[in-house]
Amino acid sequence: MLKLIGRSLAVMALALSVSLTAQAQFSLATGTAGSATGGTSIDATDTAITAPASPAGKPLQPSIADLAAAQNLAKTGSDAPPPDAAPLRSPARVSAPNQFQRFVQETTGRLLPVYGSDLFSNPQNYAANTAVPAPDNYILGPGDQVQLQVSGPQDFNTTLVLDRNGQVNLPKVGPVSLAGVAVRDLEQTLTSHLGKVFTNFKASASLGRLRGIQVYVVGQAQQPGTFQLSSLSTLVNALFASGGPSANGSMRAIQLKRGGKTITTIDLYDFIAKGDKSRDLPLLAGDVIVIPPVGPRVAVAGAFDQAAIYELKPGSTSVADILNLGGGVPALAKSKKALLERINPDSTPARSVKEIVLNTQGLQSNLQDGDVLMLLDISPAFANAVTLQGVVAERIRSSWFDGMRILDLIPDREALITPDYYKRKNVLVQKGESIKDAADKSKEAGAQIDTRIRSMVDQINWEYAVIERLDRDKLSTQLIPFNLGKAVVQKDPAHNLALLPGDVVTILSQTDLRLPQERQSRLVRLEGEVAAPGVYQTLPGETLPQLIKRIGGLTPQAYVFGTELNRESVKTRQQANLDTLIRRLEAQSQSQQGSLVANRNNTGAADQTAVILQLQQAQLKSQIERLKSFKSNGRLSLELDPRNPNLAALPDLPLEDGDRILVPSIPGYVAAFGSVNNENMFIYRNGKTVGDVIKSAGLTEDAEPDQAFVLRADGSIIARNDRSGWFGSNFESVPMMPGDTLVVPAQMDRESRYNAIIRGFKDWTQILANLGLGVAALNSL
C-alpha cells in the first residue's frame, strides 16, 4: 500500500507542475492512479519523475502528452502512451516575418514566404502511421507488446509487455530480456528460451501495441518542447510534430543528438525538393533534435513560381542550386538578363546591383548572404507575328514571312465571314420547342425578316481597312489605310500592301464608321397596295417612287394620298421633343409644389389659392404620367396634293435604312374627334367638307372651334389659323379627303401652368407635328 501511495504522490507532483488549464483537464489523474493496483509491485523510488531540463538549464513545461504518460504509468507501470496515443499538440504557430523577410519586402514590395514553411501548415498529415506492421529492423524496447502463441503438449496464448528493464516473464521460464532484439529475431529468441523447458512445441510471436517514446525538440522550432511519439517515428516526424523550424530556424542543418553525440544532420531541402530521406533516422527515447539558427539567406523574386526566401547550404551555393529547388530557370523569365542585388558591408553605400546572364556560366555564380535575385519577365512582343482582327472569320496571330502581303493574310472573301453568321443561321432551325413556340417563331420570322437580315451578317466596310504599325524611330503608332475591296476582291497590287512583323490589320464593319448614304446598306419594308410587298435592299440614292416603280408599281386600290412613311431618324427626334416637354412639365410641377407648401400655413384668401394649386398639381401630375406612356411613331408627313393622288405625286425622297412604307387602300370614311357630340366615323362622299362633318358630329358646350384642325391622311395638318376668315367661311369649305380626321379641342377656361406650357407650343397642331403623336394621344391630353 505504501508503494502505491508513493506512486500516486509522484504522479501528483508532475501534474502540479503544468499550467492551470492542464490541471483543470486532468484533475482526476491522481485519483485514477490511486485506485489502480494492476497486481504489480513497483517501488516508490522508481516512480519519481522530474521535468526534463532544457539546454539552458531551465525545466521545460510538461506537455499534455506528459500527463497522458503519467496516467499510463500509474495504471500499467510503463511510461508508454496508451493505445493509439497521438501527440496532443496545438496547431503550429505562424511565425512573424523575420528581419530578412522585411528587408526583401522593402526591396521588392512583396512579403516572400520562407521556402518550405508551408509544408508544416498541417503537421498531422506527417505523423507516423502506427497501423502498419513494424519493419524487420525495428528494435524492441520497454513498453512494446508481444503476442505469443505456443502449441504442443501445452497450448497457451499470452500477451507480454516489456517492462522498464526490457524484460518479459515467460510462463514456466521466467524473466527473459527482449530489449535490443530486432523484430526479425523475435520469434527465434523466444523459441530458444522456451526450448529450455518445453519439447515438441511450436511458437509464434508478433508485435502488438508499440511503445511510445519521449523526445525533445529544442532551438529555433515553432513549438519547442517534449513530445510523446510512436516508436516508429523518425526525425522528420518529430519536426512536423513541433511545427518545423521557425522563421529564424535553419532547415539545412538540423541535428539529431543521442547520448550527447550528433548521429545525423538532415537537410530538409533534400526532403522537400527531392524526397531524400536517407538521413532521416528512427528515433529512440531520449533523443534530442536541435534546430540551429538559420544560416545565410537569399531571396528569389520576379518571374519565378517559387519566389521565396532560401537558405544557403553550408559551403557554396550557386544560382542554379537555388533555382533548381523551384524547378529551374522558368520559360517565362528572361534568360539574357537577371538582376542580382548584393550587400557589401565594406562599401558605401553597402548595396549594389549587377546583371547576370542565366546561361551555364551565370548559373554557376555563387550566391552570398543577403542577395536578392530578381528574374525579369520576357517581353510579350512576337518576333514574327502579324495580327488580324475585326470583322473576320478568325482573329488570329499569323506567322510572318519575308514578302508577306495583305492577300497572304486574307486570301479570299471567306476569311471575312464571322463565325457568328453561321451560329445565327443555325439558330433559325433549332428544334426541341413546343408546337406553340414553333408557330410563334414562324410568325416572327415573317414579321421581323428585315431586322433579322440586318443583324445576320456584319456588313464589311470594303472601302477602308487599316494597318497599325509601330514606328520604332518615333515610338508612335503609324496608321496605313488601304481599300479592302481592291486588295481582296480586285487583287489590286497598289492596295495589296506589304506587311512587317508586329503589324495589326483591322477590318471594320459599316457600323464602325458612318459611310456616305450611297455606300450604306439600306433595307426598307414596303407593304400594302403595291405589286410585290416585301423587304427590299434599295439602290444608292433610290427614292420611294423609284422603288415602287421597280417592284411593279401600285395596285388599282392604292390610296397614294394616305401613304405612310415611318423613319427611325424621325422617330428619334420626335421622341427627344416629347422627352423635352415632359422635363419642362416636371420642372413646373416641382415649382408649383413649392408654392403649394408656402400657402398651406396661410389663412383666409390664401386657403382658396392653396386648394386651386393643389388641384392643378394633381392635374399636372396626371398629364405627365400620360405623356410618359406615349411613344412617337416616327411618321414623316409627305405633304401630298390631294388633287393629284398618283405615284408621280410622291416626293423624290431618298430612302433610308429601316424605313417602313405602307400604301393603304382607299378608305371609305372620315372621322370627327374631340369635343363633339358624336365621335365617330362618317361615310366619305365626294365633295364632303369640314362644315359637313361638323354638322354631322355636332359641337359640345366646351368645344374650342377656334383651335379646330384637320389631320390629313398623309400626316399633314390644316388648322383654322392657317386659313383666312372666321368659322363658317374658308375653313368650313375645306374639302375632306378619305381617311381625314377633324379634331376639335376643348376650351382652356382655367389657366394653369400646364395650359400655359401647351400654349407655349402655339397650338395642338404644332404638338402633333413636333411630337409625332396620334389623335388618340390628343384625347388623353
Side-chain angles (χ1 to χ4, degrees):
M1 181 62 70
L2 291 176
K3 293 180 181 180
L4 183 59
I5 293 175
R7 182 197 309 166
S8 300
L9 290 175
V11 174
M12 289 179 62
L14 177 60
L16 290 174
S17 65
V18 301
S19 63
L20 294 177
T21 303
Q23 291 180 20
Q25 294 176 348
F26 293 94
S27 58
L28 299 178
T30 54
T32 304
S35 63
T37 58
T40 305
S41 176
I42 303 178
D43 293 336
T45 55
D46 294 338
T47 62
I49 302 176
T50 58
S54 67
K58 296 181 181 179
L60 296 174
Q61 181 177 344
S63 65
I64 298 176
D66 297 333
L67 288 176
Q71 284 183 304
N72 191 53
L73 174 63
K75 291 181 180 180
T76 64
S78 171
D79 60 356
D84 301 327
L88 301 177
R89 285 284 184 172
S90 60
R93 296 188 301 269
V94 178
S95 297
N98 56 41
Q99 184 178 3
F100 188 63
Q101 283 180 287
R102 292 193 292 268
F103 167 78
V104 174
Q105 185 180 19
E106 294 176 358
T107 300
T108 64
R110 292 180 57 190
L111 180 61
L112 299 181
V114 176
Y115 176 75
S117 59
D118 57 342
L119 194 65
F120 299 96
S121 59
N122 194 352
Q124 295 181 353
N125 292 340
Y126 293 90
N129 187 1
T130 58
V132 299
D136 289 343
N137 59 352
Y138 176 78
I139 305 300
L140 276 69
D144 283 335
Q145 188 181 78
V146 177
Q147 303 289 343
L148 177 62
Q149 297 180 350
V150 178
S151 59
Q154 293 188 1
D155 297 335
F156 61 88
N157 298 330
T158 184
T159 299
L160 308 173
V161 179
L162 276 70
D163 60 18
R164 62 176 57 252
N165 295 322
Q167 295 181 339
V168 297
N169 192 6
L170 287 178
K172 297 186 180 181
V173 176
V176 174
S177 178
L178 294 180
V181 176
V183 170
R184 58 177 173 267
D185 300 327
L186 174 61
E187 191 170 300
Q188 180 181 356
T189 301
L190 292 175
T191 301
S192 176
H193 286 282
L194 290 172
K196 298 177 181 178
V197 178
F198 300 100
T199 58
N200 299 325
F201 71 93
K202 184 177 181 181
S204 175
S206 62
L207 282 181
R209 189 185 67 203
L210 302 181
R211 69 182 185 275
I213 58 174
Q214 186 181 70
V215 298
Y216 306 91
V217 180
V218 297
Q220 301 295 325
Q222 291 278 11
Q223 291 180 293
T226 304
F227 293 85
Q228 294 288 338
L229 304 176
S230 166
S231 56
L232 293 178
S233 299
T234 64
L235 171 57
V236 170
N237 297 134
L239 289 175
F240 280 105
S242 67
S246 67
N248 292 313
S250 173
M251 287 194 182
R252 311 208 68 170
I254 301 174
Q255 301 172 358
L256 174 61
K257 293 183 177 293
R258 183 176 297 160
K261 297 181 180 179
T262 301
I263 63 172
T264 188
T265 300
I266 190 172
D267 184 351
L268 278 182
Y269 282 18
D270 292 337
F271 173 68
I272 296 172
K274 306 175 184 177
D276 183 5
K277 289 188 61 178
S278 58
R279 293 182 174 272
D280 181 28
L281 301 183
L283 297 176
L284 297 180
D287 281 352
V288 179
I289 299 170
V290 181
I291 302 179
V294 65
R297 292 166 292 190
V298 298
V300 181
F304 192 58
D305 291 336
Q306 296 289 339
I309 305 297
Y310 291 85
E311 182 182 357
L312 298 180
K313 191 173 184 179
S316 62
T317 304
S318 66
V319 173
D321 294 334
I322 293 298
L323 294 184
N324 287 338
L325 294 171
V329 180
L332 299 180
K334 285 185 177 179
S335 61
K336 295 183 178 181
K337 184 179 180 180
L339 302 179
L340 181 62
E341 300 178 12
R342 178 158 291 175
I343 298 175
N344 188 357
D346 298 332
S347 301
T348 304
R351 299 179 63 185
S352 62
V353 61
K354 70 174 184 177
E355 296 182 4
I356 64 172
V357 180
L358 299 180
N359 54 16
T360 303
Q361 182 179 356
L363 292 174
Q364 296 304 317
S365 302
N366 288 329
L367 296 172
Q368 298 179 9
D369 190 13
D371 283 352
V372 178
L373 179 62
M374 179 68 67
L375 302 188
L376 304 179
D377 291 309
I378 61 173
S379 171
F382 283 83
N384 63 334
V386 175
T387 303
L388 177 63
Q389 66 165 1
V391 188
V392 292
E394 290 181 320
R395 299 172 186 175
I396 59 173
R397 186 180 293 113
S398 181
S399 175
W400 177 85
F401 56 86
D402 190 16
M404 186 176 187
R405 293 182 175 272
I406 294 294
L407 280 176
D408 297 317
L409 189 64
I410 311 173
D412 49 37
R413 294 180 180 87
E414 293 293 327
L416 301 176
I417 302 177
T418 63
D420 289 341
Y421 169 71
Y422 298 104
K423 293 179 181 178
R424 294 164 188 161
K425 287 187 63 176
N426 294 335
V427 170
L428 300 178
V429 294
Q430 285 182 355
K431 300 186 181 298
E433 69 273 4
S434 64
I435 296 177
K436 179 179 181 301
D437 293 339
D440 293 340
K441 285 186 177 181
S442 298
K443 294 177 182 179
E444 292 177 1
Q448 301 179 1
I449 183 173
D450 51 343
T451 303
R452 180 180 61 78
I453 292 175
R454 191 176 290 108
S455 62
M456 179 63 69
V457 64
D458 298 313
Q459 301 291 333
I460 298 292
N461 184 343
W462 290 102
E463 284 73 29
Y464 179 85
V466 65
I467 301 173
E468 302 171 43
R469 179 173 296 167
L470 176 63
D471 187 340
R472 298 188 178 275
D473 295 332
K474 299 179 181 180
L475 294 183
S476 61
T477 301
Q478 179 183 6
L479 296 182
I480 306 174
F482 64 96
N483 189 297
L484 179 64
K486 292 182 179 180
V488 176
V489 180
Q490 301 178 17
K491 314 295 184 183
D492 187 348
H495 293 272
N496 187 21
L497 303 181
L499 298 175
L500 297 179
D503 282 354
V504 177
V505 180
T506 303
I507 307 302
L508 288 79
S509 70
Q510 293 186 9
T511 58
D512 294 329
L513 294 174
R514 186 170 182 177
L515 302 179
Q517 283 286 338
E518 62 179 12
R519 298 181 187 175
Q520 294 181 8
S521 296
R522 293 171 299 278
L523 291 177
V524 299
R525 177 182 285 263
L526 183 57
E527 300 175 284
E529 299 299 326
V530 293
V535 176
Y536 293 94
Q537 188 170 14
T538 63
L539 303 176
E542 190 171 25
T543 64
L544 177 57
Q546 292 172 343
L547 175 61
I548 296 177
K549 186 175 181 181
R550 178 161 65 92
I551 67 171
L554 301 170
T555 66
Q557 293 78 25
Y559 183 45
V560 177
F561 183 72
T563 300
E564 181 177 342
L565 173 60
N566 295 310
R567 177 163 289 180
E568 287 298 323
S569 59
V570 175
K571 180 178 180 181
T572 302
R573 183 172 299 178
Q574 290 174 347
Q575 187 64 43
N577 293 337
L578 178 60
D579 295 339
T580 300
L581 173 61
I582 293 173
R583 286 194 297 268
R584 290 181 59 182
L585 289 174
E586 288 176 337
Q588 293 294 339
S589 176
Q590 293 176 358
S591 176
Q592 190 174 13
Q593 181 70 22
S595 300
L596 178 62
V597 173
N599 284 277
R600 280 179 178 173
N601 297 327
N602 298 330
T603 57
D607 291 340
Q608 183 178 3
T609 303
V611 172
I612 295 174
L613 289 175
Q614 189 171 5
L615 291 175
Q616 292 179 352
Q617 178 72 8
Q619 179 189 13
L620 183 56
K621 287 184 177 179
S622 176
Q623 300 295 344
I624 291 174
E625 293 303 319
R626 291 177 180 177
L627 282 174
K628 288 182 178 180
S629 65
F630 298 151
K631 299 297 180 184
S632 61
N633 54 22
R635 181 173 182 179
L636 184 63
S637 176
L638 298 180
E639 300 179 354
L640 300 176
D641 186 355
R643 296 167 299 182
N644 188 25
N646 53 43
L647 182 60
L650 291 174
D652 290 332
L653 182 68
L655 295 172
E656 293 183 5
D657 184 42
D659 283 351
R660 302 174 69 93
I661 302 104
L662 172 64
V663 181
S665 59
I666 301 175
Y669 62 86
V670 293
F673 194 83
S675 296
V676 294
N677 293 319
N678 185 14
E679 272 190 349
N680 209 336
M681 304 289 185
F682 301 94
I683 297 175
Y684 171 78
R685 290 186 178 90
N686 190 21
K688 200 165 194 174
T689 64
V690 172
D692 296 333
V693 176
I694 291 176
K695 291 179 181 179
S696 300
L699 300 178
T700 62
E701 293 182 358
D702 64 343
E704 184 66 77
D706 291 343
Q707 297 292 329
F709 62 91
V710 175
L711 181 61
R712 289 292 199 188
D714 69 339
S716 62
I717 293 175
I718 298 178
R720 168 180 290 280
N721 51 20
D722 293 334
R723 314 289 294 183
S724 61
W726 295 93
F727 193 88
S729 59
N730 291 341
F731 184 72
E732 273 192 333
S733 63
V734 171
M736 297 288 287
M737 297 295 296
D740 285 355
T741 301
L742 172 66
V743 180
V744 182
Q747 295 180 1
M748 297 182 181
D749 295 332
R750 296 182 301 275
E751 179 67 16
S752 66
R753 296 184 184 272
Y754 174 74
N755 292 337
I757 293 174
I758 295 301
R759 287 191 297 101
F761 279 85
K762 296 183 179 179
D763 53 34
W764 291 106
T765 61
Q766 187 174 356
I767 293 175
L768 289 176
N770 290 344
L771 305 184
L773 300 178
V775 177
L778 179 62
N779 186 41
S780 298
L781 292 172

